[in-house]
Short mmCIF file of all heavy atoms in Angstrom, two decimals:
data_model
loop_
_atom_site.label_atom_id
_atom_site.label_comp_id
_atom_site.label_asym_id
_atom_site.label_seq_id
_atom_site.Cartn_x
_atom_site.Cartn_y
_atom_site.Cartn_z
N ALA R 123 -29.03 10.80 -6.29
CA ALA R 123 -28.45 9.91 -5.30
C ALA R 123 -28.47 10.66 -3.98
O ALA R 123 -27.93 11.74 -3.87
CB ALA R 123 -27.02 9.57 -5.67
N ARG R 124 -29.11 10.10 -3.00
CA ARG R 124 -29.28 10.87 -1.78
C ARG R 124 -28.07 10.78 -0.88
O ARG R 124 -27.87 11.60 -0.01
CB ARG R 124 -30.51 10.40 -1.01
CG ARG R 124 -31.76 10.46 -1.81
CD ARG R 124 -31.90 11.76 -2.53
NE ARG R 124 -32.00 12.90 -1.64
CZ ARG R 124 -32.08 14.14 -2.04
NH1 ARG R 124 -32.04 14.42 -3.32
NH2 ARG R 124 -32.17 15.11 -1.19
N ALA R 125 -27.30 9.77 -1.05
CA ALA R 125 -26.11 9.66 -0.23
C ALA R 125 -24.92 10.12 -1.05
O ALA R 125 -25.00 10.27 -2.27
CB ALA R 125 -25.93 8.21 0.19
N ALA R 126 -23.85 10.36 -0.39
CA ALA R 126 -22.61 10.56 -1.13
C ALA R 126 -22.29 9.22 -1.78
O ALA R 126 -22.75 8.17 -1.37
CB ALA R 126 -21.52 10.98 -0.17
N LEU R 127 -21.51 9.26 -2.81
CA LEU R 127 -21.28 8.06 -3.60
C LEU R 127 -19.82 7.63 -3.55
O LEU R 127 -18.92 8.46 -3.48
CB LEU R 127 -21.65 8.32 -5.05
CG LEU R 127 -23.10 8.73 -5.28
CD1 LEU R 127 -23.31 9.15 -6.71
CD2 LEU R 127 -24.00 7.58 -4.92
N ASP R 128 -19.62 6.33 -3.59
CA ASP R 128 -18.26 5.82 -3.68
C ASP R 128 -17.84 5.64 -5.13
O ASP R 128 -16.65 5.62 -5.43
CB ASP R 128 -18.16 4.48 -2.96
CG ASP R 128 -18.12 4.66 -1.45
OD1 ASP R 128 -18.02 5.81 -1.02
OD2 ASP R 128 -18.21 3.66 -0.73
N GLY R 129 -18.81 5.49 -6.00
CA GLY R 129 -18.46 5.29 -7.39
C GLY R 129 -19.70 5.23 -8.26
O GLY R 129 -20.83 5.26 -7.77
N VAL R 130 -19.47 5.17 -9.55
CA VAL R 130 -20.56 5.22 -10.51
C VAL R 130 -20.39 4.11 -11.55
O VAL R 130 -19.28 3.84 -12.01
CB VAL R 130 -20.60 6.58 -11.23
CG1 VAL R 130 -21.71 6.62 -12.26
CG2 VAL R 130 -20.75 7.72 -10.24
N ILE R 131 -21.49 3.48 -11.87
CA ILE R 131 -21.53 2.53 -12.97
C ILE R 131 -22.53 3.09 -13.97
O ILE R 131 -23.68 3.34 -13.60
CB ILE R 131 -22.00 1.13 -12.50
CG1 ILE R 131 -21.12 0.64 -11.35
CG2 ILE R 131 -21.99 0.14 -13.64
CD1 ILE R 131 -21.63 -0.65 -10.71
N ALA R 132 -22.09 3.28 -15.19
CA ALA R 132 -22.98 3.95 -16.13
C ALA R 132 -23.04 3.22 -17.45
O ALA R 132 -22.02 2.76 -17.97
CB ALA R 132 -22.53 5.39 -16.36
N SER R 133 -24.23 3.13 -17.98
CA SER R 133 -24.41 2.57 -19.31
C SER R 133 -24.12 3.63 -20.35
O SER R 133 -24.45 4.81 -20.16
CB SER R 133 -25.85 2.08 -19.47
OG SER R 133 -26.16 1.94 -20.83
N SER R 134 -23.52 3.21 -21.43
CA SER R 134 -23.23 4.17 -22.49
C SER R 134 -24.53 4.71 -23.09
O SER R 134 -24.53 5.74 -23.75
CB SER R 134 -22.40 3.52 -23.59
OG SER R 134 -23.16 2.51 -24.22
N MET R 135 -25.63 4.03 -22.82
CA MET R 135 -26.89 4.48 -23.40
C MET R 135 -27.50 5.63 -22.62
O MET R 135 -28.46 6.25 -23.07
CB MET R 135 -27.87 3.32 -23.48
CG MET R 135 -27.51 2.32 -24.56
SD MET R 135 -28.79 1.09 -24.78
CE MET R 135 -30.14 2.11 -25.38
N ALA R 136 -26.97 5.92 -21.46
CA ALA R 136 -27.51 7.03 -20.67
C ALA R 136 -26.75 8.30 -21.03
O ALA R 136 -26.14 8.96 -20.19
CB ALA R 136 -27.39 6.72 -19.19
N ALA R 137 -26.84 8.63 -22.29
CA ALA R 137 -25.97 9.67 -22.84
C ALA R 137 -26.07 10.99 -22.10
O ALA R 137 -25.07 11.65 -21.82
CB ALA R 137 -26.29 9.87 -24.31
N ASP R 138 -27.28 11.36 -21.76
CA ASP R 138 -27.47 12.70 -21.22
C ASP R 138 -26.76 12.92 -19.90
O ASP R 138 -26.40 14.04 -19.55
CB ASP R 138 -28.97 12.99 -21.06
CG ASP R 138 -29.65 11.88 -20.27
OD1 ASP R 138 -29.13 10.76 -20.26
OD2 ASP R 138 -30.69 12.14 -19.65
N ALA R 139 -26.57 11.85 -19.16
CA ALA R 139 -25.99 12.01 -17.83
C ALA R 139 -24.47 11.96 -17.85
O ALA R 139 -23.81 12.32 -16.88
CB ALA R 139 -26.52 10.93 -16.90
N LEU R 140 -23.90 11.53 -18.95
CA LEU R 140 -22.47 11.23 -18.93
C LEU R 140 -21.61 12.47 -18.73
O LEU R 140 -20.56 12.40 -18.12
CB LEU R 140 -22.09 10.50 -20.22
CG LEU R 140 -22.77 9.14 -20.36
CD1 LEU R 140 -22.27 8.42 -21.58
CD2 LEU R 140 -22.53 8.32 -19.12
N GLY R 141 -22.06 13.58 -19.26
CA GLY R 141 -21.27 14.80 -19.09
C GLY R 141 -21.04 15.10 -17.62
O GLY R 141 -19.91 15.26 -17.17
N ALA R 142 -22.12 15.11 -16.86
CA ALA R 142 -22.02 15.42 -15.43
C ALA R 142 -21.12 14.41 -14.72
O ALA R 142 -20.43 14.76 -13.76
CB ALA R 142 -23.41 15.42 -14.80
N LEU R 143 -21.10 13.20 -15.20
CA LEU R 143 -20.34 12.16 -14.51
C LEU R 143 -18.84 12.41 -14.58
O LEU R 143 -18.12 12.24 -13.61
CB LEU R 143 -20.65 10.80 -15.10
CG LEU R 143 -22.09 10.33 -14.91
CD1 LEU R 143 -22.27 8.95 -15.49
CD2 LEU R 143 -22.43 10.34 -13.43
N HIS R 144 -18.39 12.79 -15.76
CA HIS R 144 -16.95 12.96 -15.90
C HIS R 144 -16.43 14.10 -15.02
O HIS R 144 -15.30 14.06 -14.57
CB HIS R 144 -16.59 13.21 -17.36
CG HIS R 144 -16.43 11.95 -18.14
ND1 HIS R 144 -17.40 11.47 -19.01
CD2 HIS R 144 -15.44 11.04 -18.17
CE1 HIS R 144 -16.99 10.33 -19.53
NE2 HIS R 144 -15.81 10.04 -19.04
N GLY R 145 -17.28 15.06 -14.79
CA GLY R 145 -16.83 16.19 -14.00
C GLY R 145 -16.63 15.86 -12.53
O GLY R 145 -16.04 16.62 -11.79
N ALA R 146 -17.13 14.71 -12.11
CA ALA R 146 -17.22 14.47 -10.67
C ALA R 146 -16.06 13.66 -10.10
O ALA R 146 -16.10 13.27 -8.95
CB ALA R 146 -18.52 13.76 -10.35
N ASP R 147 -15.08 13.42 -10.89
CA ASP R 147 -13.94 12.59 -10.50
C ASP R 147 -14.25 11.54 -9.45
O ASP R 147 -13.61 11.45 -8.41
CB ASP R 147 -12.73 13.42 -10.10
CG ASP R 147 -12.95 14.30 -8.89
OD1 ASP R 147 -13.65 13.88 -7.96
OD2 ASP R 147 -12.45 15.40 -8.88
N LEU R 148 -15.25 10.75 -9.74
CA LEU R 148 -15.53 9.55 -8.96
C LEU R 148 -15.08 8.36 -9.79
O LEU R 148 -15.06 8.44 -11.01
CB LEU R 148 -17.04 9.42 -8.72
CG LEU R 148 -17.65 10.19 -7.57
CD1 LEU R 148 -19.17 10.09 -7.63
CD2 LEU R 148 -17.14 9.63 -6.25
N PRO R 149 -14.74 7.27 -9.13
CA PRO R 149 -14.45 6.06 -9.90
C PRO R 149 -15.63 5.74 -10.80
O PRO R 149 -16.77 5.68 -10.33
CB PRO R 149 -14.26 5.00 -8.81
CG PRO R 149 -13.84 5.75 -7.61
CD PRO R 149 -14.52 7.09 -7.70
N LEU R 150 -15.35 5.55 -12.07
CA LEU R 150 -16.43 5.35 -13.03
C LEU R 150 -16.21 4.06 -13.81
O LEU R 150 -15.13 3.84 -14.36
CB LEU R 150 -16.48 6.54 -14.00
CG LEU R 150 -17.42 6.43 -15.19
CD1 LEU R 150 -18.87 6.34 -14.72
CD2 LEU R 150 -17.26 7.63 -16.12
N VAL R 151 -17.23 3.23 -13.83
CA VAL R 151 -17.18 2.02 -14.63
C VAL R 151 -18.23 2.17 -15.74
O VAL R 151 -19.39 2.46 -15.45
CB VAL R 151 -17.51 0.77 -13.78
CG1 VAL R 151 -17.62 -0.47 -14.65
CG2 VAL R 151 -16.46 0.59 -12.70
N MET R 152 -17.79 1.97 -16.96
CA MET R 152 -18.72 2.12 -18.07
C MET R 152 -19.18 0.75 -18.56
O MET R 152 -18.39 -0.18 -18.68
CB MET R 152 -18.05 2.86 -19.23
CG MET R 152 -17.82 4.34 -18.99
SD MET R 152 -19.37 5.28 -18.84
CE MET R 152 -20.08 4.99 -20.45
N LEU R 153 -20.47 0.67 -18.86
CA LEU R 153 -21.02 -0.55 -19.39
C LEU R 153 -21.23 -0.40 -20.89
O LEU R 153 -21.83 0.58 -21.35
CB LEU R 153 -22.37 -0.85 -18.74
CG LEU R 153 -22.38 -0.92 -17.21
CD1 LEU R 153 -23.78 -1.28 -16.72
CD2 LEU R 153 -21.37 -1.90 -16.70
N ASP R 154 -20.73 -1.38 -21.62
CA ASP R 154 -20.95 -1.40 -23.06
C ASP R 154 -20.65 -0.08 -23.73
O ASP R 154 -21.50 0.51 -24.40
CB ASP R 154 -22.40 -1.78 -23.34
CG ASP R 154 -22.49 -3.26 -23.62
OD1 ASP R 154 -21.83 -3.72 -24.57
OD2 ASP R 154 -23.17 -3.95 -22.87
N SER R 155 -19.45 0.36 -23.54
CA SER R 155 -19.06 1.60 -24.20
C SER R 155 -17.73 1.40 -24.89
O SER R 155 -17.04 0.41 -24.66
CB SER R 155 -18.95 2.72 -23.17
OG SER R 155 -17.78 2.54 -22.42
N ASP R 156 -17.39 2.34 -25.69
CA ASP R 156 -16.17 2.26 -26.48
C ASP R 156 -14.93 2.10 -25.58
O ASP R 156 -14.62 2.99 -24.81
CB ASP R 156 -16.05 3.55 -27.29
CG ASP R 156 -14.90 3.48 -28.28
OD1 ASP R 156 -14.08 2.55 -28.17
OD2 ASP R 156 -14.85 4.35 -29.16
N PRO R 157 -14.23 0.97 -25.70
CA PRO R 157 -13.08 0.71 -24.83
C PRO R 157 -11.94 1.70 -25.06
O PRO R 157 -11.06 1.82 -24.22
CB PRO R 157 -12.64 -0.70 -25.21
CG PRO R 157 -13.72 -1.25 -26.05
CD PRO R 157 -14.47 -0.11 -26.65
N SER R 158 -11.97 2.38 -26.17
CA SER R 158 -10.88 3.34 -26.42
C SER R 158 -11.12 4.65 -25.68
O SER R 158 -10.27 5.52 -25.65
CB SER R 158 -10.75 3.59 -27.92
OG SER R 158 -11.89 4.25 -28.41
N ASP R 159 -12.29 4.77 -25.07
CA ASP R 159 -12.54 5.93 -24.23
C ASP R 159 -11.76 5.74 -22.93
O ASP R 159 -12.06 4.86 -22.13
CB ASP R 159 -14.04 6.03 -23.96
CG ASP R 159 -14.37 7.18 -23.01
OD1 ASP R 159 -13.44 7.89 -22.57
OD2 ASP R 159 -15.56 7.35 -22.71
N THR R 160 -10.79 6.56 -22.71
CA THR R 160 -9.87 6.31 -21.59
C THR R 160 -10.32 6.97 -20.30
O THR R 160 -9.67 6.83 -19.27
CB THR R 160 -8.47 6.82 -21.93
OG1 THR R 160 -8.57 8.20 -22.29
CG2 THR R 160 -7.87 6.03 -23.08
N GLY R 161 -11.39 7.69 -20.35
CA GLY R 161 -11.85 8.36 -19.14
C GLY R 161 -12.19 7.40 -18.00
O GLY R 161 -11.70 7.55 -16.88
N PRO R 162 -13.00 6.42 -18.26
CA PRO R 162 -13.48 5.55 -17.19
C PRO R 162 -12.35 4.74 -16.55
O PRO R 162 -11.33 4.48 -17.16
CB PRO R 162 -14.45 4.61 -17.92
CG PRO R 162 -14.80 5.30 -19.18
CD PRO R 162 -13.60 6.10 -19.54
N ALA R 163 -12.61 4.34 -15.33
CA ALA R 163 -11.65 3.50 -14.63
C ALA R 163 -11.68 2.09 -15.19
O ALA R 163 -10.69 1.37 -15.16
CB ALA R 163 -11.96 3.49 -13.14
N ALA R 164 -12.83 1.68 -15.70
CA ALA R 164 -12.94 0.33 -16.23
C ALA R 164 -14.11 0.24 -17.20
O ALA R 164 -15.03 1.06 -17.17
CB ALA R 164 -13.15 -0.67 -15.08
N HIS R 165 -14.04 -0.75 -18.05
CA HIS R 165 -15.13 -1.02 -18.99
C HIS R 165 -15.64 -2.43 -18.74
O HIS R 165 -14.87 -3.34 -18.45
CB HIS R 165 -14.63 -0.95 -20.43
CG HIS R 165 -14.20 0.41 -20.86
ND1 HIS R 165 -15.05 1.31 -21.47
CD2 HIS R 165 -13.02 1.04 -20.74
CE1 HIS R 165 -14.40 2.44 -21.71
NE2 HIS R 165 -13.16 2.30 -21.29
N VAL R 166 -16.93 -2.61 -18.89
CA VAL R 166 -17.50 -3.96 -18.89
C VAL R 166 -18.27 -4.10 -20.19
O VAL R 166 -19.30 -3.44 -20.39
CB VAL R 166 -18.45 -4.17 -17.70
CG1 VAL R 166 -19.15 -5.52 -17.83
CG2 VAL R 166 -17.68 -4.10 -16.40
N ASN R 167 -17.75 -4.93 -21.05
CA ASN R 167 -18.36 -5.04 -22.37
C ASN R 167 -18.83 -6.45 -22.68
O ASN R 167 -18.22 -7.43 -22.28
CB ASN R 167 -17.38 -4.57 -23.44
CG ASN R 167 -17.28 -3.06 -23.48
OD1 ASN R 167 -17.99 -2.37 -22.76
ND2 ASN R 167 -16.39 -2.56 -24.31
N LEU R 168 -19.90 -6.49 -23.42
CA LEU R 168 -20.37 -7.76 -23.96
C LEU R 168 -19.70 -7.98 -25.30
O LEU R 168 -19.37 -7.03 -26.00
CB LEU R 168 -21.89 -7.70 -24.16
CG LEU R 168 -22.71 -7.65 -22.88
CD1 LEU R 168 -24.12 -7.19 -23.16
CD2 LEU R 168 -22.71 -9.04 -22.25
N ASP R 169 -19.54 -9.23 -25.65
CA ASP R 169 -18.91 -9.50 -26.93
C ASP R 169 -19.98 -9.44 -28.03
O ASP R 169 -20.34 -10.45 -28.65
CB ASP R 169 -18.23 -10.87 -26.90
CG ASP R 169 -17.15 -10.95 -27.97
OD1 ASP R 169 -17.19 -10.13 -28.91
OD2 ASP R 169 -16.28 -11.83 -27.86
N ILE R 170 -20.44 -8.23 -28.23
CA ILE R 170 -21.53 -7.96 -29.17
C ILE R 170 -21.16 -8.38 -30.59
O ILE R 170 -21.97 -8.98 -31.30
CB ILE R 170 -21.86 -6.46 -29.16
CG1 ILE R 170 -22.33 -6.02 -27.78
CG2 ILE R 170 -22.88 -6.13 -30.23
CD1 ILE R 170 -23.66 -6.56 -27.41
N ALA R 171 -19.94 -8.08 -30.97
CA ALA R 171 -19.52 -8.39 -32.34
C ALA R 171 -19.63 -9.89 -32.59
O ALA R 171 -20.14 -10.32 -33.64
CB ALA R 171 -18.09 -7.91 -32.58
N ASP R 172 -19.21 -10.66 -31.62
CA ASP R 172 -19.31 -12.11 -31.77
C ASP R 172 -20.76 -12.54 -31.88
O ASP R 172 -21.10 -13.42 -32.67
CB ASP R 172 -18.63 -12.79 -30.58
CG ASP R 172 -18.67 -14.30 -30.70
OD1 ASP R 172 -18.21 -14.81 -31.74
OD2 ASP R 172 -19.18 -14.95 -29.77
N GLY R 173 -21.60 -11.93 -31.10
CA GLY R 173 -23.01 -12.27 -31.15
C GLY R 173 -23.59 -12.01 -32.52
O GLY R 173 -24.31 -12.84 -33.10
N MET R 174 -23.26 -10.85 -33.05
CA MET R 174 -23.80 -10.53 -34.37
C MET R 174 -23.24 -11.48 -35.42
O MET R 174 -23.94 -11.86 -36.36
CB MET R 174 -23.45 -9.09 -34.71
CG MET R 174 -24.13 -8.57 -35.96
SD MET R 174 -25.94 -8.82 -35.97
CE MET R 174 -26.52 -7.23 -35.40
N ARG R 175 -22.02 -11.87 -35.24
CA ARG R 175 -21.43 -12.81 -36.20
C ARG R 175 -22.13 -14.17 -36.11
O ARG R 175 -22.35 -14.83 -37.13
CB ARG R 175 -19.93 -12.96 -35.94
CG ARG R 175 -19.20 -13.79 -36.96
CD ARG R 175 -17.70 -13.61 -36.84
NE ARG R 175 -17.25 -12.36 -37.42
CZ ARG R 175 -16.84 -12.25 -38.70
NH1 ARG R 175 -16.87 -13.31 -39.49
NH2 ARG R 175 -16.44 -11.10 -39.16
N GLN R 176 -22.48 -14.58 -34.91
CA GLN R 176 -23.22 -15.83 -34.78
C GLN R 176 -24.56 -15.75 -35.51
O GLN R 176 -25.00 -16.72 -36.15
CB GLN R 176 -23.45 -16.17 -33.30
CG GLN R 176 -22.18 -16.55 -32.55
CD GLN R 176 -22.49 -16.92 -31.09
OE1 GLN R 176 -23.33 -17.75 -30.82
NE2 GLN R 176 -21.78 -16.27 -30.17
N VAL R 177 -25.17 -14.59 -35.41
CA VAL R 177 -26.46 -14.40 -36.10
C VAL R 177 -26.27 -14.53 -37.61
O VAL R 177 -26.99 -15.28 -38.28
CB VAL R 177 -27.05 -13.02 -35.78
CG1 VAL R 177 -28.23 -12.72 -36.68
CG2 VAL R 177 -27.47 -12.97 -34.31
N THR R 178 -25.31 -13.81 -38.12
CA THR R 178 -25.12 -13.83 -39.58
C THR R 178 -24.68 -15.21 -40.05
O THR R 178 -25.16 -15.69 -41.08
CB THR R 178 -24.08 -12.77 -40.00
OG1 THR R 178 -22.88 -12.98 -39.25
CG2 THR R 178 -24.60 -11.38 -39.74
#
Side-chain angles (χ1 to χ4, degrees):
Chain R
R124 303 313 297 177
L127 300 172
D128 284 352
V130 178
I131 305 173
S133 161
S134 65
M135 288 188 65
D138 53 335
L140 296 185
L143 295 182
H144 275 103
D147 63 37
L148 277 172
L150 172 63
V151 174
M152 288 295 298
L153 305 182
D154 264 301
S155 74
D156 188 348
S158 66
D159 177 0
T160 55
H165 293 268
V166 173
N167 283 356
L168 292 163
D169 202 342
I170 298 291
D172 182 55
M174 189 52 97
R175 186 165 283 268
Q176 291 182 53
V177 169
T178 54

